[in-house]
Amino acid sequence: MENHKDSQKELEQIAKNTEKKTKIKVSPKDVEDIISAVKTTGNFWQIVNFSQKPIPVIAETIRLLKKYGYIDFENENIKVLEKLEKKFDYIPKFINELICPECQGRGINIKAIGIYEEFFEIQKNRPKPIQQYDQGNITPDSTIARVSMMRLRGDIAKKRIIVLGDDDLVGIALALTKLPEEILVLDIDKRLIDFTNEVAQSRGLKLKAEVFDLRNPLPKEFNRNFDVFVTDPPEAKKAFQTFLQKSIWCLKGVGSVGYIGMTLIDSSLHKWSELQKIILNSGAVITDIIRDFNKYENWDYHQNTLAWKIAPVKSPANTIWYVSAMVRIQIVRKPVAKNTLMKNKDIYIDTESTTT
Amino acid sequence: MENHKDSQKELEQIAKNTEKKTKIKVSPKDVEDIISAVKTTGNFWQIVNFSQKPIPVIAETIRLLKKYGYIDFENENIKVLEKLEKKFDYIPKFINELICPECQGRGINIKAIGIYEEFFEIQKNRPKPIQQYDQGNITPDSTIARVSMMRLRGDIAKKRIIVLGDDDLVGIALALTKLPEEILVLDIDKRLIDFTNEVAQSRGLKLKAEVFDLRNPLPKEFNRNFDVFVTDPPEAKKAFQTFLQKSIWCLKGVGSVGYIGMTLIDSSLHKWSELQKIILNSGAVITDIIRDFNKYENWDYHQNTLAWKIAPVKSPANTIWYVSAMVRIQIVRKPVAKNTLMKNKDIYIDTESTTT
């Protein structure tokens, strides 16, 4: 017991020092989660995956753990030392087996919607993610799971749906169900828009895609025009607010729905609480938060990101490690929604986001 | 298209009338969800299960649908008429197959934690739910899933855990993992406390249970004493706030965690938005909302509840229909937490709760 109190104090100390260095809120529980991940894998990106903390927090915690003699680096891998086993003997490994192997933790059966094979074939020719647009697409499984969840919640049939940014090809998957009344995809990347329109045309899908820089105000005719939006907003607080309000501005009103991808890798839980307040203050309620729902394929420009730069060891990211939560919201009262210009500084002022 | 606009107007009208009658906020989307459920099953309790709305809202909507000639009642079942098929042809049935059959939508593999069989045997002798204490227990699968989720999120090993109200036997399941530092179960029902203590004693489990009326202030020594709480709070707004604050008052602080069962059957989404604000204003963030996670076994006193009384048809509730969402919260800043007396009127003033 005395030993356990010592361990607790050590966690608190590491949390405090990490917070001081990163300017991101860090709790002893965060450090515990990182140690649990370190015990599970030696690969830095998998530690990110298991612990689900902002990368600067993980990087600094690992640097401190090394400094205090708990771990060592070996061939770009992280090695647990005896001191860590002793001091933190009670912290268990992450048990991957507790996640449902059938649905990978999403709770969704992606086979029942019946578009998997067609979508899988189509997406093989998708444009590759590029850094200029902060792209990175989720796996085809994740896209189908998103659409399946939308179907399960009654958010597709005869609905007018707007997809704000769509390197995940959610628009195409939605159109393949043949259920929506209208699907509009906006993206800044002409390659994606051309690809989406070509697929739509060649297969006779009810789907329209337009090149649009989402930092600009949206066309007036979008106001109160859609039942559902789908988007992965920027996660800097100010940018999130602007983006969310613009998305909600497109919705018809009470009963309308939004699907939002949100990460814990570019946001701390402390920031999440701020973002959740923004959601509630906009007139919406959060109906679902399913962690690790959207699984991202690794992207080519990973080694040019800040995340790579601050990684304490340069382990390759061979398997999927970047994931995001699927958050569904629904409007419950007259929304607070402005359609404003988003300034570049709004997007990028944030100490927690590093993967763009 | 003209036809669709007509249908939309009709949904709006039914929503408005239902809201007027029930004094609960109702959106056209709510009515749509109920019609989708009506198309899926003729059993009233399964309509509740599929549509996930407060029972007064469903009951009144169904009464209106009958009045307008969309449905009829036959042998205590609800029958869809041609007029409904025509007017709301676009509303699809609920597709149960979209829920992962392996984990029943929870995303959790309950086999990996290795206590299932033992727990299943133990719980066979549990005291039966009684109306006096508003009891109703979740299935053994649901209890194991809850504990598995806690293990997955790193909230069990060496943790001090308080269970506030425990007809679900979460305390016993936690103790079987042999991982927690301390488990304290509080419940008003002496039968449950005796059962829990007997199991603990006969199997040498680290688990203590005490008879306690949770409306009373908690003993002073509980303050900042626990890492994790588990509870299914009352859902009337004032009672929820009092109960949540008391639970948080037991937690050590930033990084501590709470597991809360929350329903959409005794709460509307509009009330959920108020309850979520209470959570955020208490210094916590919502980290997970997994719908339909806790599945309740049918209880003997069902026919003595308000829910039964207001049901428009008296279909038997033969299969599981009452479910709740698993909501996990984590403290991210100095909590706002008072340990106050809860008055009876706080608990019961609510138009939405009918199953107690």
Side-chain angles (χ1 to χ4, degrees):
Chain A
M1 195 60 211
E2 212 40 54
N3 181 34
H4 185 53
K5 268 188 192 158
D6 268 8
S7 315
Q8 293 303 106
K9 266 191 197 154
E10 186 76 354
L11 289 181
E12 272 168 40
Q13 199 54 47
I14 296 171
K16 215 173 123 184
N17 289 341
T18 302
E19 180 167 320
K20 212 167 145 184
K21 187 73 180 281
T22 59
K23 319 276 183 228
I24 302 171
K25 296 272 177 201
V26 184
S27 73
K29 165 76 176 158
D30 292 333
V31 177
E32 200 176 275
D33 291 345
I34 294 166
I35 290 174
S36 173
V38 166
K39 281 190 170 186
T40 313
T41 172
N43 180 286
F44 180 73
W45 305 104
Q46 284 305 314
I47 291 171
V48 175
N49 182 24
F50 289 136
S51 67
Q52 291 290 307
K53 309 292 168 224
I55 291 172
V57 169
I58 300 174
E60 183 58 24
T61 299
I62 284 178
R63 251 180 226 110
L64 289 175
L65 288 174
K66 179 161 186 287
K67 191 175 153 192
Y68 302 155
Y70 289 116
I71 57 171
D72 209 351
F73 299 161
E74 200 176 84
N75 302 329
E76 303 297 337
N77 263 282
I78 290 154
K79 218 182 77 181
V80 168
L81 297 180
E82 209 190 327
K83 192 178 166 187
L84 185 130
E85 294 287 14
K86 270 192 180 160
K87 190 74 153 197
F88 303 108
D89 58 341
Y90 79 95
I91 301 180
K93 288 184 190 180
F94 187 89
I95 308 189
N96 233 343
E97 289 76 19
L98 285 168
I99 297 169
C100 175
E102 187 69 19
C103 64
Q104 294 180 54
R106 298 184 186 105
I108 300 282
N109 170 22
I110 61 174
K111 287 163 207 149
I113 199 159
I115 59 166
Y116 187 81
E117 273 143 51
E118 196 177 355
F119 180 75
F120 194 83
E121 275 310 303
I122 291 172
Q123 63 84 39
K124 280 183 179 166
N125 301 313
R126 71 203 300 161
K128 275 197 164 189
I130 52 177
Q131 187 164 22
Q132 181 192 353
Y133 299 132
D134 179 24
Q135 287 168 334
N137 61 268
I138 59 179
T139 62
D141 281 32
S142 304
T143 298
I144 303 286
R146 236 186 227 211
V147 171
S148 300
M149 179 177 169
M150 292 172 74
R151 174 65 186 85
L152 189 62
R153 295 272 178 267
D155 299 330
I156 294 192
K158 208 76 175 177
K159 302 296 182 193
R160 302 168 73 94
I161 306 173
I162 183 166
V163 186
L164 302 131
D166 193 19
D167 39 345
D168 300 325
L169 309 185
V170 172
I172 291 173
L174 281 169
L176 289 176
T177 69
K178 307 272 163 80
L179 292 169
E181 171 73 21
E182 181 190 338
I183 309 162
L184 176 63
V185 167
L186 301 181
D187 202 286
I188 196 170
D189 184 357
K190 193 172 180 300
R191 301 173 312 149
L192 264 170
I193 297 305
D194 288 345
F195 177 75
T196 300
N197 281 326
E198 274 159 33
V199 169
Q201 217 159 16
S202 70
R203 298 186 182 239
L205 300 177
K206 214 192 242 184
L207 167 64
K208 221 170 65 182
E210 284 170 18
V211 175
F212 192 86
D213 182 343
L214 288 161
R215 289 169 297 189
N216 294 329
L218 297 164
K220 271 190 188 134
E221 61 268 28
F222 289 5
N223 187 218
R224 301 181 68 90
N225 192 45
F226 295 92
D227 299 289
V228 179
F229 73 75
V230 182
T231 193
D232 297 275
E235 296 184 2
K237 195 175 154 181
K238 182 81 208 269
F240 182 89
Q241 180 160 26
T242 310
F243 208 88
L244 182 78
Q245 287 207 356
K246 282 170 80 157
S247 305
I248 290 179
W249 180 86
C250 298
L251 295 181
K252 287 179 184 167
V254 174
S256 299
V257 168
Y259 284 83
I260 305 174
M262 283 175 76
T263 84
L264 285 167
I265 297 178
D266 285 314
S267 289
S268 67
L269 276 179
H270 191 270
K271 193 167 81 185
W272 259 34
S273 74
E274 300 299 314
L275 304 186
Q276 290 181 358
K277 277 180 199 166
I278 290 170
I279 291 172
L280 291 170
N281 290 335
S282 304
V285 64
I286 306 165
T287 71
D288 302 80
I289 303 179
I290 309 177
R291 295 262 288 266
D292 306 351
F293 189 100
N294 301 299
K295 297 166 202 291
Y296 283 75
E297 288 177 347
N298 287 315
W299 48 92
D300 289 344
Y301 64 84
H302 179 45
Q303 302 204 359
N304 302 329
T305 62
L306 179 57
W308 180 264
K309 203 177 146 196
I310 64 176
V313 289
K314 309 301 173 192
S315 347
N318 290 333
T319 51
I320 284 175
W321 64 274
Y322 192 87
V323 297
S324 73
M326 194 75 259
V327 177
R328 180 180 179 274
I329 67 170
Q330 192 163 335
I331 306 297
V332 288
R333 58 180 172 78
K334 195 172 181 302
V336 179
K338 281 183 230 160
N339 178 31
T340 45
L341 179 75
M342 191 154 51
K343 292 175 192 133
N344 263 329
K345 69 172 170 53
D346 296 340
I347 303 190
Y348 297 112
I349 293 181
D350 192 322
T351 49
E352 300 180 9
S353 304
T354 62
T355 62
T356 60
Chain B
M1 196 57 213
E2 210 40 52
N3 180 34
H4 185 53
K5 267 187 192 160
D6 268 7
S7 316
Q8 292 303 107
K9 266 190 196 156
E10 186 76 353
L11 289 181
E12 272 167 39
Q13 199 54 48
I14 296 172
K16 216 173 122 184
N17 289 340
T18 303
E19 181 168 320
K20 212 167 146 186
K21 186 74 180 280
T22 59
K23 320 275 183 229
I24 302 171
K25 296 271 178 202
V26 184
S27 73
K29 165 77 175 156
D30 293 333
V31 177
E32 199 176 277
D33 291 346
I34 294 167
I35 291 174
S36 172
V38 166
K39 281 191 171 188
T40 314
T41 171
N43 181 287
F44 180 73
W45 304 105
Q46 284 305 313
I47 291 171
V48 175
N49 181 24
F50 289 137
S51 68
Q52 292 289 308
K53 309 292 167 224
I55 290 172
V57 169
I58 300 173
E60 183 58 25
T61 299
I62 284 178
R63 250 179 229 111
L64 289 175
L65 289 174
K66 178 160 186 288
K67 191 175 152 192
Y68 302 155
Y70 290 115
I71 57 171
D72 208 351
F73 298 161
E74 200 177 85
N75 302 328
E76 303 297 336
N77 263 281
I78 290 153
K79 217 182 78 182
V80 168
L81 298 180
E82 210 190 326
K83 191 177 166 189
L84 185 129
E85 294 287 14
K86 270 193 182 160
K87 189 76 155 194
F88 303 109
D89 58 341
Y90 78 94
I91 300 181
K93 289 184 188 180
F94 187 88
I95 308 188
N96 232 344
E97 290 74 21
L98 285 168
I99 297 170
C100 175
E102 187 70 20
C103 64
Q104 294 179 52
R106 299 186 184 102
I108 300 284
N109 171 22
I110 61 174
K111 288 161 206 150
I113 200 158
I115 59 167
Y116 187 81
E117 273 143 51
E118 196 176 356
F119 179 75
F120 194 84
E121 276 309 303
I122 292 172
Q123 63 84 38
K124 280 182 179 166
N125 302 313
R126 71 204 302 163
K128 276 196 163 189
I130 51 178
Q131 188 165 21
Q132 182 191 354
Y133 299 133
D134 179 21
Q135 289 169 333
N137 60 267
I138 59 179
T139 62
D141 281 32
S142 303
T143 298
I144 304 287
R146 235 186 228 212
V147 171
S148 300
M149 179 179 169
M150 293 173 73
R151 173 67 185 84
L152 188 62
R153 295 273 178 265
D155 298 330
I156 295 192
K158 209 75 175 177
K159 302 295 181 193
R160 303 168 74 92
I161 305 173
I162 183 166
V163 186
L164 302 131
D166 193 19
D167 38 345
D168 300 326
L169 310 184
V170 172
I172 291 173
L174 281 169
L176 289 176
T177 69
K178 307 273 163 79
L179 293 169
E181 171 74 20
E182 181 189 339
I183 308 161
L184 176 63
V185 167
L186 301 181
D187 202 285
I188 197 171
D189 184 357
K190 193 171 180 299
R191 300 173 313 149
L192 263 170
I193 296 305
D194 288 346
F195 177 75
T196 300
N197 280 327
E198 274 159 32
V199 169
Q201 217 158 14
S202 70
R203 299 187 181 237
L205 300 177
K206 215 191 244 183
L207 167 65
K208 222 170 62 181
E210 284 171 19
V211 175
F212 192 85
D213 183 343
L214 287 162
R215 288 169 297 188
N216 294 328
L218 297 163
K220 270 190 189 135
E221 60 268 29
F222 289 5
N223 187 220
R224 300 181 68 90
N225 192 44
F226 295 91
D227 299 289
V228 179
F229 73 76
V230 182
T231 195
D232 297 275
E235 295 184 4
K237 194 175 157 184
K238 183 81 209 271
F240 182 89
Q241 179 161 29
T242 310
F243 208 89
L244 182 79
Q245 287 206 358
K246 283 170 81 157
S247 305
I248 290 178
W249 179 87
C250 298
L251 295 181
K252 287 178 182 167
V254 174
S256 299
V257 168
Y259 284 83
I260 305 173
M262 283 174 78
T263 83
L264 285 167
I265 298 179
D266 284 315
S267 289
S268 68
L269 275 180
H270 191 267
K271 193 166 82 185
W272 259 35
S273 75
E274 299 299 314
L275 304 186
Q276 290 181 358
K277 276 180 199 166
I278 290 171
I279 290 172
L280 291 170
N281 290 335
S282 303
V285 65
I286 307 165
T287 71
D288 302 80
I289 303 179
I290 309 177
R291 295 262 289 266
D292 307 349
F293 189 99
N294 302 299
K295 297 166 203 291
Y296 284 76
E297 288 177 348
N298 287 316
W299 48 93
D300 289 344
Y301 64 84
H302 179 45
Q303 303 203 358
N304 303 327
T305 62
L306 179 57
W308 179 265
K309 206 177 143 196
I310 65 177
V313 289
K314 309 301 173 191
S315 346
N318 291 333
T319 52
I320 284 175
W321 64 274
Y322 192 87
V323 298
S324 73
M326 194 75 260
V327 178
R328 181 181 179 274
I329 68 170
Q330 192 162 337
I331 306 297
V332 288
R333 58 180 173 77
K334 194 172 180 301
V336 179
K338 279 183 230 160
N339 176 32
T340 45
L341 178 76
M342 191 155 49
K343 290 174 194 135
N344 263 330
K345 68 172 170 59
D346 297 341
I347 303 188
Y348 297 111
I349 295 182
D350 192 320
T351 49
E352 300 179 10
S353 304
T354 61
T355 63
T356 59

